[in-house]
Amino acid sequence: MRKVQLLFAVHCHQPVGNFDAVFTKAFERAYRPFLDALGQHPNAKIALHLSGPLLEWLERERRTFLDDVRALLARGQLELLGGGLEEPILSALPDRDAQGQLAAMRVRLNELFGVEPRGLWLTERVWEPDLPRLLAPEGLRYTFVDESHLRAAGVEGPLRGYYVTEHAGAPLALFPIDQQLRMKLPQAPVDEVLALIREAANGPERVGGAGITFGDDGEKFGLWPGTYEWVHERGWLKEFFGALAESDAIESVLPSEYLARFPAQDRVYLPSASYPELMQWALPPARARRLAELRRTLSAEPDGAADLDLLRGGSWPMFLARYPEANALHKRMLHASHKLAEAEAELGETARLQAARRELYKGQCNCAYWHGAFGGLYLPHLRHACYAALIRAENLVDAETRGEGDFIEYDEDDLDGDLRDEALLANAQVSALVDPDEGGALAELDFRPLATCLTHVVARREEAYHADLRALAARPALAKAEGAPPDIHLNLREKEPGLAAKVVDDGYRRLSFIDRFYAPGFGLDQLVRGKDGDVGEFAGKPYAIEASGVDEDGDLSASVTLVREGKLNLPDGPRTLLVEKTFHLPIDAATLEAEYILENQGDAPLAFVFAPELNLTLLSPQEPERYLELPDGKKAPLGATLNLGGTNTVRLMDEQQGVAIDLTVDREAELWSYPVETINHSEEGFERTYQGSCLIWRMPIQLPPRESARILLKIDLAKVELEPEREEPPPSEPEAPVEAGSGSEPTAEPAGEPPPPEPVPE
């Protein structure tokens, strides 16, 4: 009987910025027991990918795991895969960074394990036709793509072995991941999985062999809900590896071994693609639901399943169009990359610039740049980590090129890739990005000493899975095989009741200094529920830059003045108002001022409520160290909805990061504050996620004909040194002896954090 060659690839990754408790849980429930089971079955061979963030954590916290990887490499059971060091989407980077990330991973694997990777784990299997050109200089000969990638190129029949492609003469082998095998393993019983693998031997003899490929996340072997009991406690993985060793029909081989023994099945040229789920998530909600509907309809038809691959969704870059917050992060990354490249071209690779490049690579970790069925962009701590790394990179570049002292900068450039210029004001402590076309609003505010972005608030919006949430009460329980773990994509449960009623589509970017004018009777409760109430034609509308630059002859401050003439749609008819808004940044302080001049352009008195909106984030509303400090000294949680009358100041405090944000206005005003919370789907079910706090100053304004009012708002940022609480020393006890060379690994315990979210599976 002809043998089937099984190629088994496992991708293990935790994002930059994920909680240590999640790393620890993933290690204990997935990575460690998987490697232990593999070590007990010498005939089983796998291609293993350990991402850069995970390698860094393992080297720091679980070094003996790396020793075990070395032992399995020496035994010939493992082949390590390369990739971008910090798990970026390679096609989303400038070539210099994509190739730099690949080279950095190659160097890292050589340092830790003494190997040069021959294959690549392609992040989220995001394929672009020119990728072979980027991979060739690093000696990478193969990668894994989904079966659907080849179907999109018109390849028919069973997909076995590998195919070859090239770009500009650079060749690359493509191992197609079998879709059925990926869906069944490890959810299905071992006998069912083995039968599927053996079927690969059926059909005509092929010069390219009968190889069948599995490739997927290592986290599905113990970390995903229900999998630890099934895969490890009930012995699925050991049974599977044992069955492979006893099988006369299945041969476990490494990809490089397969390449050496067999030629390619054929030549193929792939279009832009990823795995089917991601391409569906990239579509707008209505189109994603329609695609899912068409797939269900086609699957129900006789032989319809064979044509499912003709239905394709969007592509990964469309996430940057669907989510302006993702585009803002991506273009922020490109700005940091360009700034670093300019410094390297002028100064060479100095130690400080090398450190900046390491930070840039961390800021390119893909998980915060997009959203599927789980987490990603909606997880504030992942966005925070990317922004922090990019800010640190720019801090290092500025320190190398400008020195350590104060400086002031003003620049106008198309920083977000929309063919329209934005305004950047920066000093050594603050970086502020103003977007004239987005209502002249503040798009980004960074506090550079703590490398923290305070404005990356994601808006509430409709997602395709919200239709499932609304139908949840009437939906019957989903059937699943007895004892098998649940399909995490179908885990439709509410982590708290009533979430469907909290789904809101804001319809705008959550920026700061959004110029709103509310009708007198419009209330905070309506705003929280997503009602508009804005009678002005200013928010989100284009402003013109009237004056800008650095005051070279005065106090060396940077400023930009924006103007817009628009309508207020009041009960007595539309009225014309001129808004002039000036952002001002001094050279030597962490203070950003916004000065407004509101001018009545009509011949009759004008009365309205001016309500500038700010959206700021301190990551979490749960920890007691993060709160609003009110004028009377009382503390309110960031998750509270507040309506404060007669105040002109409020402080947002983050004791964990050590930052205080003081907001002031030059008159008494009513302050509204409420949490911006999205309703997302995680592998645990539907849940609320805090994205930031919306703060609105409400000021009644009355203007005589042709008169104006001046209003000054200010943000002051400061590092806060908190005195540690004095504790009584514990009674002294004799120290327990520590045995050297015991091989035990420390157990990391989360300190003072809420239960962290799970890592994001595909």
Side-chain angles (χ1 to χ4, degrees):
M1 181 180 179
R2 187 162 54 125
K3 279 194 172 184
V4 174
Q5 292 78 38
L6 174 64
L7 299 114
F8 198 101
V10 175
H11 156 63
C12 300
H13 167 60
Q14 292 300 320
V16 170
N18 214 356
F19 296 112
D20 187 75
V22 176
F23 278 87
T24 301
K25 184 178 180 181
F27 176 83
E28 293 175 348
R29 298 182 71 86
Y31 312 145
R32 176 78 272 173
F34 184 95
L35 208 68
D36 288 344
L38 181 67
Q40 295 169 21
H41 298 87
N43 291 331
K45 298 181 178 182
I46 70 164
L48 178 64
H49 178 247
L50 301 170
S51 72
L54 180 57
L55 280 172
E56 183 178 335
W57 185 87
L58 289 168
E59 188 177 23
R60 185 177 68 248
E61 302 289 345
R62 300 291 191 272
R63 295 185 65 88
T64 58
F65 183 85
L66 302 182
D67 294 335
D68 294 339
V69 170
R70 295 183 190 102
L72 292 175
L73 282 167
R75 241 161 61 171
Q77 277 189 266
L78 281 186
E79 180 168 347
L80 290 179
L81 299 173
L85 179 65
E86 301 294 345
E87 202 66 10
I89 301 292
L90 291 171
S91 58
L93 307 184
D95 284 0
R96 61 179 178 269
D97 294 346
Q99 292 180 325
Q101 288 256 18
L102 293 168
M105 178 59 117
R106 174 178 51 79
V107 170
R108 198 79 186 98
L109 293 180
N110 195 286
E111 291 172 345
L112 289 173
F113 306 107
V115 299
E116 295 275 340
R118 305 295 287 164
L120 166 93
W121 182 262
L122 186 59
T123 301
E124 302 300 333
R125 274 107 70 199
V126 174
W127 174 268
E128 293 293 342
D130 68 339
L131 271 172
R133 174 183 58 83
L134 294 175
L135 306 182
E138 289 304 310
L140 294 163
R141 298 188 60 210
Y142 70 87
T143 190
F144 301 89
V145 295
D146 279 65
E147 177 180 329
S148 58
H149 287 62
L150 279 81
R151 301 298 187 201
V155 181
E156 297 183 302
L159 300 180
R160 301 293 176 248
Y162 67 93
Y163 293 72
V164 69
T165 191
E166 58 83 27
H167 183 82
L172 187 71
L174 304 173
F175 286 97
I177 297 169
D178 188 271
Q179 177 76 359
Q180 279 189 287
L181 192 56
R182 183 167 79 91
M183 292 294 103
K184 286 182 178 292
L185 198 156
Q187 283 85 354
V190 169
D191 288 347
E192 188 177 330
V193 174
L194 294 178
L196 179 60
I197 295 172
R198 286 192 293 267
E199 286 179 13
N202 297 333
E205 188 80 23
R206 297 172 181 234
V207 295
I212 184 171
T213 298
F214 167 83
D216 213 343
D217 295 348
E219 293 77 25
K220 73 189 299 185
F221 295 95
L223 184 60
W224 292 5
T227 57
Y228 182 77
E229 179 186 9
W230 174 255
V231 172
H232 300 300
E233 290 183 345
R234 299 181 63 177
W236 187 96
L237 188 61
K238 290 182 179 179
E239 181 186 351
F240 176 72
F241 283 152
L244 287 181
E246 296 173 3
S247 176
D248 295 328
I250 303 172
E251 177 187 10
S252 182
V253 298
L254 298 174
S256 288
E257 294 174 341
Y258 194 93
L259 284 172
R261 288 169 54 184
F262 299 102
Q265 295 283 351
D266 206 347
R267 180 179 298 275
V268 67
Y269 291 88
L270 306 181
S272 299
S274 182
Y275 52 89
E277 299 93 331
L278 183 146
M279 296 173 72
Q280 181 172 321
W281 297 331
L283 294 173
R287 300 297 291 171
R289 287 194 288 264
R290 179 60 178 152
L291 177 58
E293 199 176 286
L294 290 172
R295 283 175 171 163
R296 285 192 294 269
T297 300
L298 191 59
S299 297
E301 295 179 1
D303 302 322
D307 296 324
L308 281 175
D309 291 308
L310 297 176
L311 297 176
R312 303 184 70 225
S315 59
W316 188 88
M318 281 304 296
F319 287 110
L320 305 182
R322 279 202 61 206
Y323 300 100
E325 302 92 347
N327 183 63
L329 177 58
H330 180 254
K331 301 311 182 286
R332 179 70 166 82
M333 176 272 292
L334 294 181
H335 176 70
S337 173
H338 179 69
K339 188 171 181 175
L340 172 58
E342 284 188 332
E344 289 173 332
E346 180 183 350
L347 302 174
E349 293 188 0
T350 68
R352 192 175 263 156
L353 295 183
Q354 287 175 344
R357 182 153 292 280
R358 289 193 293 272
E359 293 293 347
L360 172 67
Y361 288 171
K362 289 181 184 295
Q364 293 171 339
C365 183
N366 82 93
C367 304
Y369 286 82
W370 64 284
H371 174 63
F374 313 105
L377 173 72
Y378 280 110
L379 297 180
H381 64 290
L382 298 188
R383 299 195 307 271
H384 171 78
C386 284
Y387 272 109
L390 298 175
I391 295 167
R392 286 193 296 267
E394 289 205 15
N395 287 348
L396 288 163
V397 172
D398 281 336
E400 188 73 355
T401 57
R402 300 176 184 272
E404 301 284 355
D406 290 330
F407 70 88
I408 193 70
E409 175 185 3
Y410 179 83
D411 190 23
E412 288 179 24
D413 200 358
D414 179 15
L415 299 175
D416 63 0
D418 64 354
L419 297 178
R420 306 282 289 177
D421 284 352
E422 290 75 49
L424 177 67
L425 301 82
N427 63 23
Q429 300 182 63
V430 171
S431 176
L433 180 65
V434 176
D435 192 337
D437 277 6
E438 286 275 6
L442 180 68
E444 182 178 337
L445 180 66
D446 301 331
F447 187 38
R448 303 182 67 175
L450 295 178
T452 185
C453 175
L454 301 167
T455 50
H456 60 89
V457 180
V458 171
R460 304 173 295 181
R461 57 171 53 85
E462 179 76 15
E463 294 288 358
Y465 50 71
H466 287 152
D468 294 325
L469 174 60
R470 295 184 183 102
L472 186 58
R475 196 179 185 96
L478 293 169
K480 63 177 186 292
E482 180 63 31
D487 183 338
I488 58 171
H489 297 85
L490 300 177
N491 189 10
L492 302 180
R493 74 177 186 89
E494 291 181 288
K495 295 180 72 172
E496 60 179 286
L499 289 180
K502 298 181 184 298
V503 174
V504 173
D505 194 324
D506 285 328
Y508 70 96
R509 284 183 66 187
R510 287 281 180 171
L511 307 180
S512 288
F513 297 101
I514 300 174
D515 303 335
R516 299 204 180 279
F517 300 84
Y518 287 131
F522 184 71
L524 175 57
D525 59 334
Q526 295 169 286
L527 187 62
V528 173
R529 295 198 307 270
K531 304 300 181 183
D532 189 347
D534 190 349
V535 300
E537 297 178 354
F538 295 87
K541 300 296 192 295
Y543 278 54
I545 294 180
E546 186 175 75
S548 61
V550 174
D551 182 6
E552 300 283 0
D553 299 324
D555 60 2
L556 295 178
S557 61
S559 64
V560 58
T561 299
L562 308 106
V563 295
R564 175 177 174 79
E565 183 179 286
K567 299 293 186 184
L568 298 182
N569 297 302
L570 300 172
D572 58 350
R575 307 290 296 279
T576 303
L577 183 73
L578 179 70
V579 175
E580 178 183 295
K581 176 167 50 176
T582 299
F583 289 99
H584 180 268
L585 181 69
I587 189 174
D588 57 355
T591 298
L592 182 69
E593 293 181 348
E595 180 183 20
Y596 285 89
I597 296 177
L598 309 177
E599 184 176 311
N600 179 1
Q601 299 292 93
D603 296 323
L606 181 57
F608 54 88
V609 176
F610 180 47
E613 173 184 331
L614 291 86
N615 290 282
L616 303 169
T617 183
L618 294 180
L619 302 180
S620 171
Q622 298 170 331
E623 294 94 339
E625 298 91 350
R626 292 177 167 129
Y627 53 86
L628 285 165
E629 188 174 304
L630 307 179
D632 59 5
K634 293 181 179 178
K635 298 178 182 179
L638 295 173
T641 299
L642 303 172
N643 186 343
L644 304 175
T647 183
N648 70 339
T649 182
V650 69
R651 166 174 281 198
L652 285 78
M653 175 66 78
D654 185 342
E655 296 179 2
Q656 289 193 16
Q657 295 188 84
V659 61
I661 310 170
D662 288 315
L663 307 179
T664 58
V665 61
D666 64 354
R667 66 190 62 204
E668 285 198 349
E670 185 179 13
L671 177 65
W672 287 356
S673 175
Y674 69 93
V676 179
E677 296 175 320
T678 54
I679 308 301
N680 311 125
H681 189 216
S682 77
E683 58 273 29
E684 298 291 342
F686 293 104
E687 61 189 10
R688 279 190 298 166
T689 304
Y690 170 84
Q691 301 298 339
S693 293
C694 179
L695 300 107
I696 296 173
W697 296 106
R698 295 183 75 257
M699 294 167 271
I701 305 292
Q702 294 187 358
L703 292 177
R706 306 295 175 176
E707 294 293 327
S708 63
R710 177 185 177 275
I711 301 166
L712 183 66
L713 288 86
K714 189 163 62 166
I715 299 180
D716 288 298
L717 307 176
K719 291 175 67 174
V720 179
E721 300 291 341
L722 299 171
E723 294 184 7
E725 295 183 6
R726 182 172 297 179
E727 297 181 358
E728 292 295 327
S732 59
E733 293 182 0
E735 292 186 3
V738 178
E739 295 183 14
S742 65
S744 62
E745 295 172 326
T747 301
E749 296 289 342
E753 292 282 359
E758 301 291 347
V760 182
E762 293 169 351

